[in-house]
Amino acid sequence: MTETETIAYDVVVLGAGPVGENVADRTRAAGLATAVVESELVGGECSYWACMPSKALLRPVIARADARRLPGLRQAVEGPLDAAAVLARRDEYTSHWHDDGQVRWLEGTGADLYRGHGRLAGPRTVTVTGPDGERRTLTARHAVAVCTGTRAQLPDLPGLDDVRPWTSREATGAKEVPGRLIVVGGGVVAAEMATVFQALGSQVTMLVRGKGLLARMEPFAGELVADALTEAGADLRTGTSVESVTRENGTVVAVTGTGDRIEADEILFATGRVPRTDDLGLETVGLEAGSWLTVDDTLRVEGTDWLYACGDVNHRALLTHQGKYQARIAGDTIGARAAGTPLTDPPPWGPHAATADHTAVPQVVFTDPEAAAVGLSLAEAEQAGHRVRAVDVDLSSVAGAGLYGEGYRGRARMVVDLDEQILRGVTFVGPGVGELLHSATVAVAGQVPLDRLWHAVPSYPTISEVWLRLLEAYRG
């Protein structure tokens, strides 16, 4: 291993996924010399193993489901999906796992890219060990931003490594469709991947430790998604734990807590995420290796005046779009502090405070039906001490839903703050509702008063007319 001279920057960013890219974009816009360190592919988890490949896999599944709801089109799509074509389209959306385009974009911002593993080596100092073993030291005059994301968490089961289980990466990057697939977990990854592989021809068995799917959303969201998966042929078992897993002559055998023996060709564990901070040198700055990084609303790590953490590693909202939002806030904040602007207590909803992390986080689950939510659920709002009321509407009562497809099933809920007369949260479940969510996000983040929202007239006949039905139900 050789070592070169120390290179000084204003900002050093660890991780070149969407979050790190956005930090670098904003710090470069502020005129700060910025270095970005990446150990894998520029573009990160989202581009190659999560958001993009999963949605590329899901889109044909959802399009076929929508087509089957329409007379005159239903008969044309009764056959199976062309799995090879679906996988090939997925490959295109991951750029065949090459990051040339992302590198060009990053370099276009004026940031310098360093390939290799970056570790903190004390305050404002990062060592980078390149693929060739060459070692560089980067120093940061103003800030280091940790944007290294998370990786899949696997359970502590004896012999699991010998089973070669799938995580989200193997699922989204699958080269072929297994005949039988066990999905362990009930969250977003589990629900979406069960949707994909059941539609592509796998016999899917879902093993869910909890009471149902999508536990972080309103209960009816998981119930409607579970009903649809069951109707599609998946075997969904709730309240079920996995006690052991083996691979015998190529076949995976999972034994549940009740002693059931389930055989499959592959097994996917979608059982949570852990931060990629275990080999980051956190101990050199007084932090615990492998820990989540607690930050304030400017995204600065508590107890420091130079270290920032954006995206999954701070555990505020494990979503790409929310991480990019945090990155924009952090990048602008680093620029402002470098320019000498005092930011001791930036106001909520200002340019230097990630306020939406607390009250207006949006998420779409791309199952069939889709589940989309922003803000607080009813239970969360009550736990936060708000005096609230839930208003529910059957989405099939809206004319636009019937036009969207026969047999449309869905539900909408808004959580009304009775004292402030604003919305604390909104949830939609049903085909096509993902594109409704931003209207709800604007209403929640903007704290739009209900009496003003009454004047936001939805176009007829669209599914968005559910807004009128919700407000009518609230007003009585």
Side-chain angles (χ1 to χ4, degrees):
M1 180 182 295
T2 59
E3 186 165 355
T4 64
E5 76 281 5
T6 297
I7 308 169
Y9 287 91
D10 293 314
V11 180
V12 177
V13 180
L14 292 173
V19 177
E21 288 176 329
N22 273 265
V23 172
D25 187 41
R26 298 312 304 156
T27 56
R28 286 297 302 135
L32 301 178
T34 302
V36 182
V37 182
E38 176 54 54
S39 61
E40 293 187 289
L41 297 177
V42 175
E45 197 82 9
C46 175
S47 298
Y48 307 102
W49 301 286
C51 313
M52 296 307 291
S54 67
K55 290 358 169 230
L57 291 169
L58 282 157
R59 180 60 197 144
V61 175
I62 303 304
R64 182 180 68 166
D66 285 342
R68 285 178 168 177
R69 296 183 178 101
L70 295 172
L73 186 56
R74 181 181 301 126
Q75 294 76 12
V77 292
E78 279 303 313
L81 287 166
D82 185 337
V86 172
L87 296 177
R89 183 172 185 264
R90 181 273 320 274
D91 292 350
E92 292 177 7
Y93 271 87
T94 61
S95 301
H96 298 271
W97 290 275
H98 294 294
D99 63 1
D100 302 23
Q102 299 264 15
V103 170
R104 285 193 296 271
W105 181 90
L106 182 62
E107 292 177 340
T109 69
D112 292 341
L113 173 63
Y114 290 85
R115 300 275 193 179
H117 179 64
R119 296 184 87 254
L120 292 168
R124 296 184 175 86
T125 304
V126 173
T127 59
V128 182
T129 304
D132 57 359
E134 186 176 17
R135 185 174 176 183
R136 294 180 172 88
T137 298
L138 311 179
T139 60
R141 285 181 283 267
H142 297 292
V144 174
V146 178
C147 308
T148 50
T150 58
R151 65 173 182 273
Q153 182 179 37
L154 288 170
D156 185 16
L157 291 174
L160 187 60
D161 289 345
D162 296 332
V163 175
R164 303 182 304 281
W166 280 9
T167 67
S168 54
R169 283 196 171 196
E170 288 77 22
T172 59
K175 299 304 181 185
E176 58 185 25
V177 177
R180 301 163 298 173
L181 175 66
I182 298 170
V183 177
V184 183
V188 176
V189 171
E192 289 188 346
M193 290 299 98
T195 298
V196 166
F197 285 101
Q198 184 67 40
L200 290 178
S202 297
Q203 174 53 57
V204 172
T205 301
M206 294 192 75
L207 305 179
V208 184
R209 182 185 294 272
K211 296 179 180 179
L213 304 182
L214 308 179
R216 294 182 179 274
M217 288 185 156
E218 298 283 10
F220 63 82
E223 291 166 4
L224 287 168
V225 171
D227 288 346
L229 278 168
T230 300
E231 291 172 8
D235 179 4
L236 176 59
R237 308 184 190 188
T238 58
T240 302
S241 61
V242 177
E243 298 301 317
S244 69
V245 182
T246 56
R247 189 180 285 271
E248 303 171 5
N249 298 319
T251 298
V252 174
V253 179
V255 179
T256 70
T258 57
D260 291 337
R261 178 185 168 96
I262 305 167
E263 295 186 355
D265 300 291
E266 302 291 349
I267 185 167
L268 163 63
F269 282 93
T271 49
R273 310 286 296 181
V274 293
R276 291 180 179 271
T277 60
D278 52 324
D279 189 20
L280 206 60
L282 293 181
E283 66 280 0
T284 69
V285 295
L287 298 171
E288 183 182 351
S291 65
W292 302 100
L293 296 176
T294 303
V295 298
D296 61 19
D297 278 354
T298 69
L299 288 311
R300 189 163 61 180
V301 176
E302 291 184 354
T304 76
D305 63 0
W306 59 274
L307 185 62
Y308 292 74
C310 302
D312 286 9
V313 291
N314 63 36
H315 210 234
R316 284 163 70 109
L318 277 65
L319 297 160
T320 296
H321 49 269
Q322 209 68 19
K324 291 165 68 175
Y325 160 74
Q326 294 172 8
R328 295 190 293 270
I329 298 290
D332 288 346
T333 298
I334 292 167
R337 284 178 169 145
T341 303
L343 295 172
T344 55
D345 190 18
W349 304 112
H352 305 117
T355 314
D357 286 351
H358 306 297
T359 58
V361 174
Q363 181 175 22
V364 179
V365 184
F366 292 86
T367 46
D368 177 38
E370 291 177 344
V374 62
L376 304 179
S377 67
L378 175 62
E380 290 170 336
E382 291 174 340
Q383 289 166 6
H386 301 296
R387 193 170 67 92
V388 292
R389 172 187 163 194
V391 180
D392 291 352
V393 167
D394 184 342
L395 264 172
S396 67
S397 67
V398 178
L403 290 168
Y404 191 93
E406 289 190 343
Y408 190 104
R409 286 183 291 177
R411 185 171 170 183
R413 167 174 287 179
M414 65 180 189
V415 178
V416 179
D417 188 311
L418 298 173
D419 297 318
E420 300 291 334
Q421 286 293 292
I422 59 174
L423 300 181
R424 291 292 176 186
V426 181
T427 299
F428 303 117
V429 183
V433 298
E435 296 301 334
L436 285 181
L437 187 62
H438 196 58
S439 60
T441 303
V442 170
V444 172
Q447 299 180 335
V448 180
L450 289 184
D451 58 0
R452 178 58 63 88
L453 199 57
W454 180 254
H455 294 280
V457 182
S459 297
Y460 181 86
T462 64
I463 300 176
S464 62
E465 197 181 13
V466 69
W467 279 109
L468 177 58
R469 301 283 91 84
L470 286 164
L471 292 167
E472 287 175 336
Y474 176 68
R475 290 163 68 101

